[in-house]
């Protein structure tokens, strides 16, 4: 029965085959339709992305500090890639480079000194990066009295009577340079009013040799200074200084009088002079013009920073080059691969696309700040920003979408991930909002212009801002899936099917958060 029914109700394709066979006519095989999106996304591969990272994070670029020869080489590399895939120059005077003014403030390392002298004994030098870190300053404190001022959050009374022309020590918890700085506010005020010429932050046991070394390297090239030199010194070193003067640190802490006290027979030197120089570091800007006359004047920006922190303190393996493979050669390489995918499409997307590689992020989001203030396309035409920073590590199934709760880009990302399970990703909210990642990457400067933005990252890890942030630790398979997510999100916007928009109250929340941070 089944055979009879199948024959009686032969399908149309089957009937055509029979007729064709009887008549001798040939039926051409239909050409499969080409999906331009699928073709474009297939160009995003681990080989392409990791290849870019391998160059950007190589030792020959010396950590891509802003400014540096390595940064310039990275900019040339990105510009040449943009040129090769057919993007239009979006920088200055028909080039891919947009330069901005930058005054570099750097520590004069050979003149740095932190030492203690007890009575008439020779001065004892503390070891930079092991015993202490220091914030540079144009002022020096050489062979001056040393005063114990108690906790930084609640400075002891009597500081004004003993701290004029002295270095004042304050107790701090954890890393005192992270967070809001509220704990240090009272100490700064007390030291300033007393006429102190330097400050020492007594670091507790949570500050290891490794963390002190990391802070030392970062501060040496961070590009900022304070009115008086400020050093973080290991608590064990301070205890030794107390002991050499015939005093006991624990007794000073427990002193019932609660008064600030000068250490008898002890003088201290605190010096980290600075030098300044003028530079014009580069951003790299490539543009893919839109194909729709009604939408080509609207721009979607893809941003990532290509600078890192240069050369710092050697680690246990003797490596002093901070390659920054994840931070942020990863985001830059994702952006470059996404640019190549879009450039391969025919026809091109409806809206115009800007691919923006910025420098100076590690110095305070400088490159993106300059671009947002001096855009090379009309600022009113920029309708959204997709930013990528540190996207190559951690859990294989997770990407963090910072700011997803403020615009429709969060829900759109979720829909893409639902429709494309092969991406194998879940986009989550910031799991550590106390670290304020919302304010720590280049999307922020677009948010300040009221432009909807989303910031993709795969999160922090133990190699952050260390010489160990190497390309070998990048998860090539995961970063490819993240890049394809960025492409699909960008394609939904570039095609005109979706438009970035603030959710109800979202812009007001962002504006309030920026204002509260002091960055409004």
């Amino acid at each position: 029965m089944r055979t009879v029914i199948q024959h009686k109700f032969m399908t149309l394709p089957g009937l055509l085959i029979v007729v064709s066979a009887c008549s001798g006519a040939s039926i051409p095989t239909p050409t499969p339709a080409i999906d331009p999106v699928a073709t474009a996304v297939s160009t995003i591969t681990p080989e392409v992305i990791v290849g870019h990272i391998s160059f950007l994070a190589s030792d020959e670029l010396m950590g891509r500090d802003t400014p540096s020869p390595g940064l310039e080489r990275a900019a040339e590399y990105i510009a040449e890639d943009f040129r090769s895939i057919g993007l239009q120059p979006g920088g200055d005077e028909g080039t891919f480079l947009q330069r901005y003014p930058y005054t570099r403030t750097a520590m004069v390392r050979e003149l740095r000194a932190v030492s203690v002298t007890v009575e008439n004994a020779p001065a004892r030098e503390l070891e930079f990066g092991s015993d202490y870190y220091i914030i540079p300053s144009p002022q020096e404190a050489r062979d001056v009295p040393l005063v114990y001022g108690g906790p930084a959050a609640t400075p002891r009374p009597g500081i004004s009577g003993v701290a004029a022309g002295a270095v004042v020590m304050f107790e701090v918890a954890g890393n005192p340079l992270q967070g809001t700085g509220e704990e240090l506010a009272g100490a700064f005020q007390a030291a300033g009013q007393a006429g102190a010429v330097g400050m020492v932050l007594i670091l507790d046991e949570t500050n290891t040799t490794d963390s002190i070394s990391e802070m030392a390297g970062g501060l040496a090239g961070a590009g900022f200074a304070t009115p008086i030199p400020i050093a973080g010194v290991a608590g064990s070193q301070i205890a030794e200084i107390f002991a050499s003067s015939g005093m006991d640190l624990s007794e000073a802490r427990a002193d019932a009088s609660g008064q600030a006290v000068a250490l008898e027979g002890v003088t201290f030197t605190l010096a980290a002079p600075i030098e300044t120089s003028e530079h014009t570091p580069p951003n790299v800007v490539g543009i893919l013009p839109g194909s729709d006359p009604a939408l080509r004047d609207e721009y979607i920006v893809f941003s990532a920073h290509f600078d890192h922190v240069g050369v710092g303190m050697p680690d246990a393996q003797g490596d002093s080059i901070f390659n920054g493979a994840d931070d942020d050669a990863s985001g830059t390489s994702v952006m470059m691969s996404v640019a190549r995918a879009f450039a391969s499409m025919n026809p091109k997307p409806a809206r115009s696309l800007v691919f923006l590689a910025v420098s100076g992020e590690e110095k305070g989001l400088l490159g993106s700040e300059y671009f947002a203030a001096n855009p090379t396309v009309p600022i009113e035409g920029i309708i959204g920003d997709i930013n990528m920073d540190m996207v190559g590590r951690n859990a294989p199934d997770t990407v963090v979408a910072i700011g997803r709760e403020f615009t429709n880009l969060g829900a759109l990302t979720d829909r893409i991930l639902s429709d494309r399970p092969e991406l194998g990703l879940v986009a989550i909210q910031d799991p550590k909002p106390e670290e304020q990642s919302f304010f720590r990457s280049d999307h922020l400067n677009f948010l300040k212009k009221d432009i909807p933005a989303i910031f993709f990252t795969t999160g922090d890890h133990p190699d952050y801002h260390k010489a160990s942030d190497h390309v070998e630790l990048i998860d090539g398979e995961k970063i490819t899936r993240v890049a394809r997510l960025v492409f699909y999100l960008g394609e939904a916007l570039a095609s005109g099917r979706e438009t970035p928009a603030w959710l109800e109250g979202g812009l007001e929340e962002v504006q309030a958060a920026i204002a509260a941070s002091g960055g409004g």
Side-chain angles (χ1 to χ4, degrees), residues 140-176:
E140 298 181 358
R142 291 191 178 272
D143 296 318
V144 301
L146 188 61
V147 171
Y148 177 72
T154 55
R156 289 189 169 184
I159 289 178
S160 59
V162 293
V167 168
V168 188
M169 302 179 291
F170 293 101
E171 305 269 4
V172 291
N175 185 340

Side-chain angles (χ1 to χ4, degrees), residues 139-506:
Q139 182 167 311
E140 298 181 358
R142 291 191 178 272
D143 296 318
V144 301
L146 188 61
V147 171
Y148 177 72
T154 55
R156 289 189 169 184
I159 289 178
S160 59
V162 293
V167 168
V168 188
M169 302 179 291
F170 293 101
E171 305 269 4
V172 291
N175 185 340
L177 301 186
Q178 288 184 339
T180 63
E182 291 180 5
E183 180 185 16
L184 299 180
F188 291 149
Q189 183 177 9
Q193 290 176 346
V197 293
M199 279 179 55
V200 164
L201 307 177
I202 304 174
L203 305 177
D204 65 18
E205 64 279 358
T206 65
N207 291 267
T208 65
T209 300
D210 284 345
S211 64
I212 291 174
S213 176
E214 181 180 346
M215 289 297 297
L219 289 169
F224 65 89
T226 48
I228 60 174
I230 301 172
V233 180
S236 59
Q237 289 295 321
I238 300 300
E240 187 174 333
I241 292 170
F242 267 79
S244 64
S245 69
M247 300 177 66
D248 185 276
L249 176 57
S250 60
E251 290 180 2
R253 288 169 173 160
D255 183 3
S257 69
Q259 294 290 309
V261 59
L263 276 66
E264 295 293 335
V266 173
T267 60
F268 204 73
T269 291
L270 198 59
I274 60 173
E275 60 183 2
T276 60
S277 53
E278 301 298 326
H279 302 269
T280 55
N283 293 328
V284 188
V285 191
I287 299 174
L288 186 67
S291 60
D292 188 323
L295 294 176
R296 65 168 55 126
D297 291 333
E298 296 179 352
Y299 298 85
I300 304 297
V301 175
F302 297 81
S303 59
H305 75 90
F306 68 99
D307 65 309
H308 195 52
V309 297
V311 179
M313 296 290 297
D315 61 14
Q317 289 71 45
D319 187 359
S320 62
I321 300 175
F322 287 53
N323 300 103
D326 196 30
D327 184 16
D328 184 34
S330 67
T332 300
S333 300
V334 164
M335 182 200 63
M336 293 169 70
S337 71
V338 169
R340 181 175 293 272
F342 277 114
S344 73
M345 294 182 71
N346 188 17
K348 296 295 186 283
R351 288 183 168 121
S352 296
L353 308 180
V354 176
F355 298 95
L356 174 64
V358 297
S359 62
E361 190 269 356
E362 302 287 359
K363 298 295 192 290
L365 314 183
L366 300 182
S368 58
E369 179 182 41
Y370 186 83
F371 180 87
N374 304 272
T376 58
V377 299
I379 189 67
E380 63 274 11
I382 299 177
I383 63 171
D385 170 56
I386 302 173
N387 185 53
M388 295 143 280
D389 193 346
M390 296 179 64
V391 290
R393 299 277 297 270
N394 295 332
D397 61 350
T398 304
V399 63
V400 183
I402 305 289
R404 55 164 294 136
E405 65 270 34
F406 301 119
T407 75
N408 63 344
L409 299 178
L412 179 56
T413 297
D414 290 341
R415 192 162 78 241
I416 289 169
L417 292 176
S418 176
D419 292 343
R420 298 189 178 276
E422 72 275 11
L423 294 178
L425 291 170
V426 175
I428 64 171
Q429 286 184 291
D430 187 358
K432 298 180 179 179
E434 68 277 6
E435 295 184 2
Q436 297 186 309
S437 295
F438 181 80
F439 300 100
R440 290 171 54 190
S441 194
D442 296 292
H443 64 290
L444 181 63
N445 286 313
F446 292 93
L447 294 175
K448 288 180 178 180
K449 297 292 183 179
D450 297 344
I451 296 169
I454 192 166
F455 163 31
F456 289 114
T457 181
T458 53
D460 205 350
H461 46 69
D463 303 296
Y464 171 70
H465 278 201
K466 291 184 179 178
S468 54
D469 184 6
H470 290 153
V471 65
E472 292 80 11
L473 299 175
I474 295 294
D475 184 339
E477 194 271 339
K478 176 182 180 176
I479 198 173
T480 301
R481 290 184 284 119
V482 172
R484 291 183 173 190
L485 166 63
V486 171
F487 172 81
Y488 285 129
L489 176 61
E491 192 277 331
L493 304 175
S495 67
R497 298 193 309 275
E498 304 284 348
T499 298
W502 294 99
L503 298 180
E504 183 177 356

Side-chain angles (χ1 to χ4, degrees), residues 63-89:
R64 311 185 307 279
D65 195 13
T66 302
S68 69
L71 184 79
E72 294 292 337
R73 285 198 62 190
E76 292 169 3
Y77 176 85
I78 298 166
E80 180 54 38
D81 187 72
F82 284 177
R83 184 182 297 109
S84 72
I85 64 177
L87 299 187
Q88 292 186 3

